[in-house]
């Protein structure tokens, strides 16, 4: 099923069930008013939401209305956890190659992950406001999952059973703040402002066979100022699947319902032609990766980060062409 | 006023108002059922909670009952943000001196802070469960604040106005996992398991003059296995006050109601005698600091980290001897 959160002036919004084709929606009133509430009591509430979803898909929702992504907050407008991995090691390899650094062997065995702020997420069409262009404003197109309760010590396969929902994320990053922050040793903080999420969160069964052992075998599209810059395959190059990412969190603590876990920038390996020249025909899911590729190819980056007024659109389509999650469509604005 | 959360089988517990002397309590039913709810609508609900607090203090609460900290969850059993600073640079100086590293000048101007997990906090008397003693189990006695909404770009004085409540925290740390994690560059993650909080959260006015421009001028006591190991002055050596810590978060994003912000290990400067010998008579608020002091004095640490069965008690008393927050009293247990 597909779920969204409609703006209603409150901090958590109102839970709505959205038809598979994203054309109509229905308030989940009487079942659950907020998405976190459904996640807290999933086994009891999910079947009721599923029944409503079936009705809406059949055109039988009594109070259905046209679905409008512009009325959406993030499916979870705030969450108790946002843990973001860097599961596409190809991205790390490119960024490191650009500065002539090796990727440590441990990166292939143990996921990189940072704890993000989760008190103030952005809706899918909400403007992304930054106080300075000098900070190196960048989008990051990612896939995320929302978990149920996963106990401390869970193994990857068990952790994978904890996946309740999937969403897209735009993990806004301030690239020029990163070197200074990482040098201090405590990880990202100011360099990771509020993250935006897709209009709709979907259960794994909505992906059909494209949900493949904790990976999503579909293409993540990114369009910057209307120009398609990324058509990245999300499945094959994901070094760690979502079960492994969740298990990484659960090594020393319980993971509780409503935790959001991210894949990191979706990234594909380059293709080398007969002349030994490597290119990246699938494009990029963040500008930092494009700049790394330029540095590898030409010795320096030529693409600038985003400016006030720029737009970014992130979307993923099923094999039948249907948008799975609806689109993140944001504009960068100044103070 | 003083607020706590009683266990009731739900994820968020039941909000109770606790008398100033921590002897009696009263459910806040009819005002707010959960603490987050009160924080979400503070201006409207706080005066009503204050009225109930006054009644309970006057012995006039209609349904008051004896307050039992063992029934408490963390005041916020889960939160939308847990951002922990390292505001006592003396602690950083000691840890760095032990490994003969300098403290960069920037550490005195810009707070160190990491984003912690906030989906699964421990209550004040809840056992702290770890899967291995080999991870280097350590307590960390800290002061924390809970904020209201603080807008992006807030300056320290404005951010300080956003402080709604104070609590104590035991920021459990797994010391032997830290070097490997920090070497990966993304900051703490598995090395920071679930944090525990004091039974009671208090409004700043409960501290009277001890709440001094964003610092708490009282002594934080830590007792390990019944032995007093820390009597640290929380006020004078706090390099960054809470307004500065909150403003650090707000530099690139909004800070939303219910965010918890921590001071880091409370730490005091050493005292050097006439012979030039330095000692730390106020003890320590985490074992890592004790081991750093031993290394500085004797070339190597002699105090081991905690073992299964160990206990830790963390408490802060007002100048009249009254426990301000109640005590964190936890036992370390194995799998």
């Amino acid at each position: 099923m597909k779920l969204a959160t409609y703006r209603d002036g409150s901090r958590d919004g109102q839970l709505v069930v959205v038809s598979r084709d994203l054309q109509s929606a229905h308030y989940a009133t009487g079942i659950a008013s907020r998405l976190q509430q459904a996640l807290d009591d999933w086994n009891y509430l999910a079947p009721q939401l599923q029944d409503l979803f079936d009705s809406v898909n059949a055109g039988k929702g009594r109070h259905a209305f046209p679905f409008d992504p512009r009325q959406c907050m993030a499916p979870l407008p705030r969450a108790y956890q946002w843990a973001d991995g860097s599961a596409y090691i190809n991205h790390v390899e490119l960024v490191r190659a650009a500065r002539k650094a090796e990727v440590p062997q441990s990166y292939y065995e143990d996921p990189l992950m940072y704890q993000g702020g989760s008190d103030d997420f952005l809706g899918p069409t909400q403007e992304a406001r930054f106080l300075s262009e000098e900070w190196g404003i960048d989008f990051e197109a990612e896939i995320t999952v929302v978990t149920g309760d996963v106990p401390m010590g869970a193994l990857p396969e068990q952790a994978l059973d904890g996946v309740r929902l999937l969403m897209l994320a735009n993990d806004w990053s301030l690239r020029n703040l990163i070197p200074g922050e990482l040098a201090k040793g405590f990880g990202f903080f100011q360099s990771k402002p509020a993250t935006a999420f897709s209009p709709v969160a979907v259960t794994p069964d909505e992906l059909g066979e494209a949900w493949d052992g904790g990976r999503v075998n579909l293409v993540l599209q990114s369009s910057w100022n209307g120009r398609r810059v990324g058509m990245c395959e999300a499945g094959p190059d994901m070094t760690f699947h979502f079960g492994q990412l969740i298990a990484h969190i659960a090594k020393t603590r319980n993971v509780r319902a409503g935790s959001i876990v991210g894949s990191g920038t979706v990234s594909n390996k380059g293709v080398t032609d007969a002349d030994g020249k490597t290119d990246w025909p699938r494009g990029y899911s963040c500008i930092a990766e494009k700049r790394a590729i330029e540095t590898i190819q030409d010795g320096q980056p030529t693409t600038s980060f985003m400016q006030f007024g720029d737009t970014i659109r992130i979307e993923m389509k099923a094999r039948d062409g249907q948008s799975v999650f609806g689109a993140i469509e944001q504009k960068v604005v100044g103070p």
Side-chain angles (χ1 to χ4, degrees), chain A:
Chain A
M1 61 187 161
K2 301 194 176 190
L3 303 170
T5 295
Y6 253 41
R7 207 179 300 283
D8 68 349
S10 76
R11 294 175 185 268
D12 296 301
Q14 280 288 325
L15 181 61
V16 300
V17 172
V18 183
S19 64
R20 184 164 288 132
D21 62 6
L22 306 182
Q23 293 303 303
S24 59
H26 198 293
Y27 283 103
T29 324
I31 303 171
S33 57
R34 299 177 298 115
L35 179 54
Q36 181 65 46
Q37 192 185 340
L39 290 159
D40 284 347
D41 201 7
W42 189 253
N43 288 343
Y44 179 67
L45 296 174
Q48 300 176 48
L49 293 169
Q50 179 71 44
D51 285 348
L52 180 55
F53 178 65
D54 293 341
S55 296
V56 173
N57 282 325
K60 291 182 182 162
R62 266 168 191 259
H63 302 285
F65 52 86
F67 176 63
D68 180 2
R70 289 168 301 182
Q71 301 306 318
C72 287
M73 305 172 82
L76 286 170
R78 50 183 180 174
Y80 296 109
Q81 176 155 244
W82 164 220
D84 197 12
S86 185
Y88 296 83
I89 294 298
N90 184 66
H91 171 71
V92 180
E93 287 171 348
L94 287 171
V95 170
R96 293 218 160 207
R99 50 181 166 98
K100 301 191 197 303
E102 298 261 307
V103 177
Q105 184 55 33
S106 68
Y107 283 31
Y108 296 91
E109 291 144 19
D110 187 41
L112 276 172
M113 189 171 274
Y114 78 91
Q115 195 87 46
S118 54
D119 59 320
D120 191 46
F121 291 139
L122 300 179
T125 64
Q126 203 173 337
E127 290 178 339
R129 191 167 73 90
F130 304 103
L131 302 186
S132 171
E133 275 177 334
E134 304 304 309
W135 290 341
I137 301 165
D138 197 0
F139 66 93
E140 258 191 41
E142 306 194 3
I143 300 167
T144 65
V145 299
V146 184
T147 76
D149 291 319
V150 178
M152 193 190 306
L155 297 175
E157 290 311 310
Q158 182 187 359
L160 192 54
D161 286 340
V163 172
R164 296 280 173 270
L165 296 166
L166 292 105
M167 308 183 289
L168 301 183
N170 182 6
D171 181 39
W172 286 105
S173 297
L174 298 169
R175 299 294 175 191
N176 296 339
L177 300 184
I178 291 179
E181 272 196 328
L182 297 198
K184 289 170 73 182
F186 272 35
F188 307 103
F189 203 102
Q190 294 172 333
S191 53
K192 292 288 184 177
T195 305
F197 291 89
S198 52
V200 163
V202 311
T203 46
D205 60 294
E206 289 298 317
L207 296 172
E209 291 184 357
W211 177 241
D212 181 12
R215 295 179 175 86
V216 179
N217 277 322
L218 292 171
V219 173
L220 185 62
Q221 307 179 6
S222 300
S223 299
W224 176 16
N225 290 338
R227 196 167 69 85
R228 179 79 46 86
V229 296
M231 285 286 280
C232 297
E233 293 276 1
D237 295 332
M238 190 180 184
T239 314
F240 302 102
H241 66 68
F242 277 110
Q244 291 171 296
L245 297 178
I246 298 167
H248 183 82
I249 310 175
K251 181 180 171 184
T252 61
R253 65 202 208 205
N254 299 310
V255 177
R256 302 305 303 271
S259 290
I260 305 173
V261 182
S263 68
T265 307
V266 175
S267 173
N268 290 131
K269 290 187 199 302
V271 178
T272 304
D273 67 16
D275 300 334
K277 187 170 179 300
T278 302
D279 203 4
W280 284 265
R282 307 215 63 93
Y284 52 92
S285 304
C286 71
I287 300 168
E289 182 161 316
K290 173 64 171 167
R291 288 166 56 91
I293 289 170
E294 289 168 346
T295 303
I296 292 165
Q297 290 179 325
D298 309 317
Q300 60 177 25
T302 48
T303 303
S304 300
F305 290 117
M306 297 176 87
Q307 300 191 304
F308 297 153
D310 278 10
T311 62
I312 178 70
R313 179 186 169 98
I314 297 168
E315 191 171 22
M316 178 173 264
K317 290 187 174 164
R319 284 169 195 151
D320 62 3
Q322 170 64 50
S323 179
V324 179
F325 305 93
I328 297 173
E329 288 195 273
Q330 294 188 275
K331 185 177 181 177
V332 174
V333 300

